[in-house]
Amino acid sequence: MRHNRARARTVRTEYADIEFENNAQRLPLVLCLDTSSSMSGPPIQTLNEALREWARELHDDVSLSHSVDVAVVTFGQQGVSTWQGSRQLPPQSPDSPFVPAHAFRPPLLFAEGVTLMTEALELAMWIVSARKTELRRSGLQYYRPQICLVTDGLPTDGTGHPTDNWKRVVPVLAAEQQARHFRLYAIGVGGITPRGEEVLQAFAPKFNARLNGFPFRQLLQMMSASATAEQKGAGDEVFEKIFSQFKTQRPAWES
């Protein structure tokens, strides 16, 4: 098979010095986003703006636009929800939430409700597994999926009280990541507490961060850079470099 040697347009980002070639395999990418009441005001506005800009960049990126499949999971308003682009799927919907990057239109998110982080992460893992099964049945290959968890708080139960139910997913996450079934990024933003940081460290020991402010634009650019690295089959050191660069960026919006 003749390789496409045309150099793809890269997302405008600090990580663009790591260059990769185009490829046709699918790459499932899930954004697992906290939309609880603590995200109201400038944080949710900044997140919506960053999602719109990221969608435009995905459309313009030759390498990613026709290989990445994007799904969104939110936890906050109306509990845990999946989104097929801008459309919120009803509970138990048979429709896949994944949308090709070239057609992705982000949802307009609102901040309200409690932080059902554990349930959202479990749902993100489930839709990744379902997507891989769907691709295999279609005879399609895929890269290691990516899940990006973003929160500014602690996991709560349905009444909004802090809970330790998140501990039940830690062994599952450890086994899944050890088996290279997906790569998980766990990002704390805004006023997340040291206890919240401990939760994220338990979820993603290698790829977790506690950041000042709400640098959602840089975060989404990092996810694009990571997706591009995944296409190339890069080694762990490349992902660690990308993540290290991301963690040292100046936040786009200070709390």
Side-chain angles (χ1 to χ4, degrees), residues 26-85:
R26 309 308 302 167
L27 196 161
L29 188 159
V30 181
L31 300 177
C32 190
L33 306 175
D34 187 343
T35 58
S36 62
S37 57
S38 61
M39 288 285 292
S40 62
I44 201 69
Q45 295 170 9
T46 303
L47 177 56
N48 280 318
E49 292 168 3
L51 284 169
R52 289 193 293 269
E53 180 63 23
W54 184 61
R56 288 192 291 268
E57 292 176 343
L58 282 179
H59 299 165
D60 290 341
D61 190 298
V62 176
S63 177
L64 299 181
S65 62
H66 290 278
S67 61
V68 171
D69 296 332
V70 181
V72 177
V73 173
T74 58
F75 51 105
Q77 187 183 34
Q78 300 178 9
V80 178
S81 300
T82 55
W83 300 78
Q84 187 186 66

Side-chain angles (χ1 to χ4, degrees), residues 92-211:
Q92 310 303 321
S93 171
D95 296 339
S96 171
F98 285 96
V99 177
H102 66 85
F104 176 66
R105 299 291 183 274
L108 178 62
L109 301 177
F110 298 90
E112 185 179 343
V114 298
T115 313
L116 297 175
M117 189 187 309
T118 306
E119 293 79 1
L121 192 50
E122 288 174 327
L123 179 58
M125 289 190 286
W126 186 87
I127 64 174
V128 162
S129 178
R131 180 58 176 160
K132 291 195 293 185
T133 297
E134 181 182 33
L135 291 170
R136 285 194 297 267
R137 287 174 177 170
S138 300
L140 298 174
Q141 295 182 319
Y142 53 83
Y143 300 99
R144 191 193 316 189
Q146 297 186 168
I147 300 174
C148 184
L149 171 69
V150 184
T151 183
D152 70 341
L154 283 168
T156 70
D157 59 21
T159 65
H161 293 93
T163 176
D164 286 334
N165 68 357
W166 59 270
K167 293 181 180 179
R168 73 179 185 233
V169 302
V170 172
V172 178
L173 288 171
E176 291 289 289
Q177 292 177 88
Q178 179 66 28
R180 305 174 71 86
H181 289 165
F182 55 77
R183 190 184 305 278
L184 173 64
Y185 296 93
I187 312 298
V189 295
I192 192 167
T193 64
R195 178 57 174 161
E197 184 180 15
E198 290 176 11
V199 174
L200 301 181
Q201 290 171 345
F203 286 164
K206 292 183 64 175
F207 296 103
N208 67 84
R210 179 186 177 195
L211 305 174

Side-chain angles (χ1 to χ4, degrees), residues 15 185 187 218-227 242-243 246:
Y15 326 112
Y185 296 93
I187 312 298
Q218 292 95 323
L219 169 60
L220 292 170
Q221 289 178 333
M222 184 275 293
M223 292 302 296
S224 291
S226 180
I242 291 171
F243 196 66
F246 160 66

